[in-house]
Structures are given as structure tokens and as C-alpha cells.
Amino acid sequence: MAAPMKVRRLLCARKFNTFCRFMHSKQQNNESQQKETHFGFQNIPENEKEDKVYEVFKNVASSYDLMNDAMSAGVHRLWKDHFIRRLGPTPGTKLLDVAGGTGDIAFRFLKYIDNLNKNESDDISVPNHIDGFQLHQEDQDLSSSSSSSSDEEDNHVTHHVTVCDINQEMLDVGRQKAESYGICSGMSWLKGNAECLQLEDNQFDAYTIAFGIRNCTHVDKVVEEAYRVLKPGGRFMCLEFSEVKNPLLRSLYDNYSFQVIPVMGQVLARDWKSYQYLVESIRQFPNQEDFSDIIRNAGFRMVSYENLTFGVAAIHSGFKL
């Protein structure tokens, strides 16, 4: 009798252990399914955000440029011009512009280098200091110990920009603009997710993302992917809305954002909800210091930022060293 009893107890113990593992696995799956993120001021399951953001930009793609001009009174164009000047690309630069569907950064990149080629006698070297940026102390030490080496010029190397965007409608708008500008070389278009780029490691000299990273579910993964695809010595640059520190200016900015911009969206694009989301998403994005920490944690060095228009937007920069 003793042996059968032991066998039964052993079988019961195994069944109990199997049941416990099943319940633990089920609990983990439930926790994964219930993990939430923000969509504007709403909390939604993480796996829903990508589709919701896709729908927003699908809706606004055709009126995106018009709305940018109306909402910022054209200031966004000055920000983007300054952004490219800060990048300071040189002939032969391979750029990956992410969330760049309409081509605003890519076209400026091509124009900047074309202007350099037309004025070859001008000094086009990148300065070894970055005016206007706030460098972290440890990065200042690294900067002083790093020497900039100049590669031999290769006349056969041509500059190129790859425009990557998750939204096909935005890419279509960019392609149409490229055709209207007569641009038929020096750029390519790629549909892809910034959090998991289908690109090889160490491929690009520079990575830019303008007014797009706040729409991603995992900002840290986007920055990590940027680090992966950049060559050693490559530069990450991000232009994004940020935090206005001055209380009075912040109050005025908030009133304009929430009271005026959604109304403009309704009047000009017949889309209140999408522009309400865009305003809310700005408030959910990390401030200048917190985003700098994310960039630094991804492995970038010489991390810095520059406020534009009192902090309404900011340029963030980091190097893969």
C-alpha cells in the first residue's frame, strides 16, 4: 500500500506544480496585456498605441504642412533650418531621417550640402565646439580629450538621406513633394518602425528625428536603435517640443495650445481630435533634462540640448563614441 500511496502523492505534487506554472504564466500574460502607456492624456494598452498614432497621421498627412505653418506662424521652418545648420552635414554624409515622411528635414539636408558644393572655397568644417548647447560636465571632459580626425576626401562618395516613416500616407506626401521639386537622386524612402529598424548596424553618419519621437510607444528603444544604426563617431539629433520653464510664458503657451490649435485643426483640416492629441502628446514627453538622460543611457556621449523659442522646442544632440 505504501508504494501506491507514494505514487499518488507524487502525481498530485506534479499536477500541483504544473497548475502553479500555468497560473504564473497566465498572470504574466495578463500583466503584459494590461501594461499601459499614454495616448495624449488617455491611458491605453501599449499594443494599441501604434495603431492609434498611425491613424492620427493618416488623417493629418494631406494637411500636415498647412497646419504646421498655421499653428507656429511659420516658426517651425526656422527651427528646422537651424536644426540642419547645427547638424552641419558635409559632402559624403549618410543620413537616416526617422519619422520624416513629408521630407522637411531631408530636403533641407540635400539643399545644405548642395550649397556647400556650390561654394567649395568656403570653410565647411564642423566646429569642435557647439555654441548654444548645454553640455553635461562629464561630456565636457570627454570632449576636451577627444581629437577630431579628418578623413581623406573621396570624390566618389556622395551624400544620401534615407527617409524612414511608419506611416505610408506621410511617405506618399514626401515623395510627391520630391517629384515637384525635381529631386530624383540622393534620397530613398523606407517604411519602418523607429523602435525596430530593419537596417544593419553601424550604417549611418547621422540620425535625425524631428517632431516624431514623442509619438513612439517606447522612446528609450527609439534612441537605442539610433545608437545601433549609427557608425562610431556618428551623431544623433532630435528636434522636439519641450518644456517652457517660465511660468508666465508657459501659461500663455498652454492657453494657445489647448484653446487655439484644436480649433485650427477643425477649421483647416476638419479634424479636432487629431490636433487635440498632438497638443496633449507634447505635455507627456520628457522635459529637456529627462530626455537628455534617456539619450545618455542609450550610450551616447557629449549629450547636449539647445532651447528654441523659450523652450517651446529643443534640439537634442549626442555622439556615438
Side-chain angles (χ1 to χ4, degrees):
M1 286 294 292
M5 288 292 291
K6 288 182 179 179
V7 170
R8 282 198 294 271
R9 284 198 295 269
L10 181 60
L11 289 173
C12 288
R14 286 180 177 175
K15 288 180 179 179
F16 178 74
N17 289 336
T18 300
F19 175 76
C20 288
R21 287 196 296 270
F22 170 76
M23 292 302 294
H24 179 66
S25 176
K26 186 176 180 180
Q27 182 180 4
Q28 285 184 322
N29 289 335
N30 288 338
E31 289 176 354
S32 176
Q33 292 174 358
Q34 293 171 2
K35 195 170 184 182
E36 293 187 337
T37 188
H38 60 81
F39 178 74
F41 289 158
Q42 301 177 48
N43 287 329
I44 61 171
E46 277 193 350
N47 56 13
E48 293 183 10
K49 181 168 181 176
E50 185 176 312
D51 290 338
K52 285 183 173 292
V53 171
Y54 188 99
E55 195 65 26
V56 166
F57 284 92
K58 178 181 177 181
N59 293 338
V60 305
S62 61
S63 58
Y64 190 71
D65 291 336
L66 171 65
M67 282 300 302
N68 281 342
D69 284 333
M71 289 188 300
S72 70
V75 174
H76 77 101
R77 296 176 182 270
L78 301 178
W79 290 340
K80 291 169 183 173
D81 290 343
H82 184 67
F83 182 63
I84 286 297
R85 287 195 295 269
R86 285 301 190 197
L87 175 63
T90 55
T93 297
K94 305 296 184 185
L95 170 67
L96 175 64
D97 181 40
V98 176
T102 58
D104 276 7
I105 300 302
F107 299 141
R108 283 171 169 80
F109 166 81
L110 294 175
K111 183 178 180 181
Y112 184 94
I113 294 185
D114 285 345
N115 287 339
L116 291 181
N117 289 334
K118 291 175 183 177
N119 300 279
E120 291 180 351
S121 60
D122 292 345
D123 180 14
I124 59 173
S125 61
V126 179
N128 56 16
H129 67 280
I130 310 173
D131 296 332
F133 280 103
Q134 302 177 21
L135 284 178
H136 193 269
Q137 182 60 47
E138 67 180 30
D139 292 332
Q140 290 180 347
D141 297 338
L142 179 62
S143 174
S144 63
S145 64
S146 299
S147 59
S148 57
S149 60
S150 58
D151 298 330
E152 293 183 0
E153 292 185 4
D154 184 353
N155 294 328
H156 299 290
V157 176
T158 57
H159 56 277
H160 187 274
V161 54
T162 301
V163 182
C164 177
D165 201 294
I166 197 171
N167 193 290
Q168 187 61 51
E169 283 74 12
M170 297 289 280
L171 289 170
D172 290 342
V173 171
R175 279 197 177 104
Q176 291 169 7
K177 289 169 66 176
E179 290 176 5
S180 69
Y181 296 156
I183 298 173
C184 54
S185 63
M187 68 187 310
S188 56
W189 307 86
L190 173 68
K191 183 178 180 182
N193 189 329
E195 295 184 19
C196 50
L197 297 167
Q198 301 301 306
L199 295 166
E200 296 179 3
D201 297 356
N202 307 315
Q203 192 173 349
F204 296 94
D205 302 300
Y207 174 114
T208 55
I209 182 167
F211 302 119
I213 198 168
R214 73 180 189 282
N215 299 304
C216 299
T217 305
H218 305 98
V219 173
D220 54 340
K221 289 184 180 179
V222 176
V223 182
E224 289 166 5
E225 277 291 270
Y227 188 88
R228 180 182 67 80
V229 301
L230 279 170
K231 298 176 183 177
R235 188 177 188 182
F236 168 84
M237 286 193 69
C238 174
L239 173 61
E240 188 53 88
F241 291 109
S242 201
E243 182 180 74
V244 177
K245 301 293 186 182
N246 183 284
L248 177 59
L249 293 177
R250 183 168 62 245
S251 176
L252 294 172
Y253 175 52
D254 285 345
N255 285 330
Y256 172 77
S257 297
F258 288 102
Q259 302 300 324
V260 177
I261 290 178
V263 175
M264 283 187 179
Q266 182 63 36
V267 171
L268 297 178
R270 297 183 180 180
D271 189 347
W272 180 293
K273 289 185 178 179
S274 294
Y275 288 93
Q276 181 72 28
Y277 157 74
L278 293 174
V279 169
E280 293 176 357
S281 67
I282 295 169
R283 273 67 187 178
Q284 298 283 34
F285 190 70
N287 65 24
Q288 292 90 326
E289 289 76 17
D290 291 342
F291 186 45
S292 292
D293 287 340
I294 292 173
I295 298 170
R296 196 172 290 111
N297 290 338
F300 288 101
R301 306 305 302 269
M302 296 180 66
V303 176
S304 56
Y305 70 84
E306 176 187 7
N307 283 329
L308 305 177
T309 316
F310 307 104
V312 171
I315 296 174
H316 290 264
S317 172
F319 292 84
K320 180 177 178 177
L321 300 176

